[in-house]
Amino acid sequence: VDALALHTRQATQSVELVSDRGAVGAYLDIDVLLEVARETGCDCVHPGYGFLSENAEFATRCAAAGISFIGPPAEALPLFGNKLAARKLAVSLDIPVVPGTSEPVLCADDVVAFAASHGYPVMLKAAAGGGGRGMRSVTSADGLAEAFARCQGEAEAAFGDGLLFVEKLIQRPRHIEVQVLADNAGNVIHLHERDCSVQQRNQKVIEIAPAFGLDDTVRSRMHEDAVRLVAAAGYQNAGTVEFLLVPETAEYYFIECNPRIQVEHTVTEQVTGIDLVEAQFLVAAGAS
């Protein structure tokens, strides 16, 4: 079905993925992908975004097959793929996080107990979530049980993991994300930030770089915290560290790190003049 797609036509060589899992499933079939890589003599695989880009098993099996995975080491993927684990790392580094539970909430009553201390509204989140899925805001105890069940079901369907945690809902925040790049020798840099506050259904619609009207001190602290976080994780290659900023108080909170290139990386490329995908390949090849 992708025989005439742009990426296929631009490539110098293309190979059909023959899988019994359907057109989309073929891109998730690790065995098929590695077999194609072996047959064609590939020495590296760029996972893009989505599909297997954050799959630790795929990264591990690439390494076992002698193929460079153009992304972070396999051990970094479960850390940043699980929001609770990432929160704990941030807390250990004194990076502020949204008030929330450090362990999964197993039933609606656990959410009621959290709200008794922190008040409503709260946000239910999938521990293994991403891309705006597996999230529901709750404004009162009414309808909480239904919201919990729906969020848990959506998380199970989207990520194969129904574990949820709960955070205090930060209302009308700015959403700031910091682009980072780390080499294989422990050096980490940031490539400034993007403001992605304009969203619809938790999906980013407009990205602006650099973030306008942002206090320079706050901007610098966000950059520093992003670099410290990925350095402490032993991270390599490109990634994005995301924060919520409260405009009225200039307080900000770490929410997650995406251990891959993002769709919106091109905004940073336009501002900095750096080809991030090229940089990913250079880092994987050993460049500092």
Side-chain angles (χ1 to χ4, degrees):
V1 296
D2 282 342
L4 298 178
L6 180 63
H7 66 281
T8 314
R9 290 186 284 117
Q10 291 289 327
T12 54
Q13 181 183 6
S14 60
V15 180
E16 183 179 1
L17 299 175
V18 181
S19 172
D20 59 5
R21 297 173 59 177
V24 174
Y27 288 105
L28 297 168
D29 195 322
I30 295 175
D31 291 330
V32 168
L33 291 169
L34 290 180
E35 180 62 20
V36 168
R38 185 189 64 78
E39 290 178 352
T40 54
C42 285
D43 59 7
C44 62
V45 171
H46 191 295
Y49 39 75
F51 294 119
L52 294 172
S53 61
E54 298 184 48
N55 188 290
E57 180 190 353
F58 183 49
T60 299
R61 290 187 58 184
C62 282
I67 297 170
S68 294
F69 179 80
I70 311 296
E75 54 269 22
L77 288 169
L79 170 61
F80 288 133
N82 184 296
K83 286 188 170 67
L84 280 173
R87 276 176 60 94
K88 290 177 182 178
L89 175 61
V91 169
S92 74
L93 297 170
D94 292 325
I95 296 173
V97 299
V98 179
T101 56
S102 58
E103 300 296 334
V105 287
L106 303 179
C107 62
D109 288 343
D110 291 342
V111 181
V112 171
F114 175 83
S117 299
H118 294 83
Y120 290 99
V122 298
M123 177 72 85
L124 297 173
K125 287 187 174 182
R133 305 179 71 181
M135 298 170 57
R136 284 187 184 272
S137 60
V138 180
T139 57
S140 70
D142 296 335
L144 173 57
E146 181 183 0
F148 187 92
R150 285 180 175 273
C151 192
Q152 192 171 54
E154 185 176 323
E156 182 67 42
F159 312 113
D161 186 342
L163 285 180
L164 305 179
F165 68 105
V166 61
E167 289 180 341
K168 180 68 178 172
L169 177 64
I170 307 299
Q171 301 198 68
R172 299 186 65 80
R174 291 181 67 178
H175 193 153
I176 309 293
E177 55 189 22
V178 178
Q179 178 70 58
V180 295
L181 195 64
D183 67 15
N184 301 341
N187 302 304
V188 183
I189 63 169
H190 70 80
L191 293 173
H192 310 287
E193 78 289 338
R194 302 182 291 262
D195 187 311
C196 50
S197 303
V198 180
Q199 301 183 16
Q200 185 175 34
R201 300 187 188 92
N202 298 316
Q203 295 291 324
K204 299 162 187 174
V205 178
I206 296 175
E207 296 257 347
I208 301 169
F212 59 90
L214 188 60
D215 179 83
D216 285 340
T217 300
V218 174
R219 190 193 312 271
S220 295
R221 285 171 51 206
M222 280 185 174
H223 293 167
E224 291 168 4
D225 283 348
V227 167
R228 287 198 300 122
L229 183 80
V230 298
Y235 193 85
Q236 296 169 13
N237 219 271
T240 305
V241 182
E242 305 199 5
F243 300 93
L244 294 182
L245 172 70
V246 181
E248 295 79 11
T249 63
E251 293 178 290
Y252 66 86
Y253 305 100
F254 164 76
I255 54 171
E256 66 178 338
C257 175
N258 290 296
R260 53 173 169 78
I261 198 75
Q262 284 188 287
V263 179
E264 54 270 28
H265 73 275
T266 52
V267 177
T268 292
E269 291 182 329
Q270 290 293 315
V271 171
T272 62
I274 295 171
D275 185 323
L276 281 169
V277 176
E278 180 184 47
Q280 284 190 286
F281 277 93
L282 291 171
V283 165
S288 62

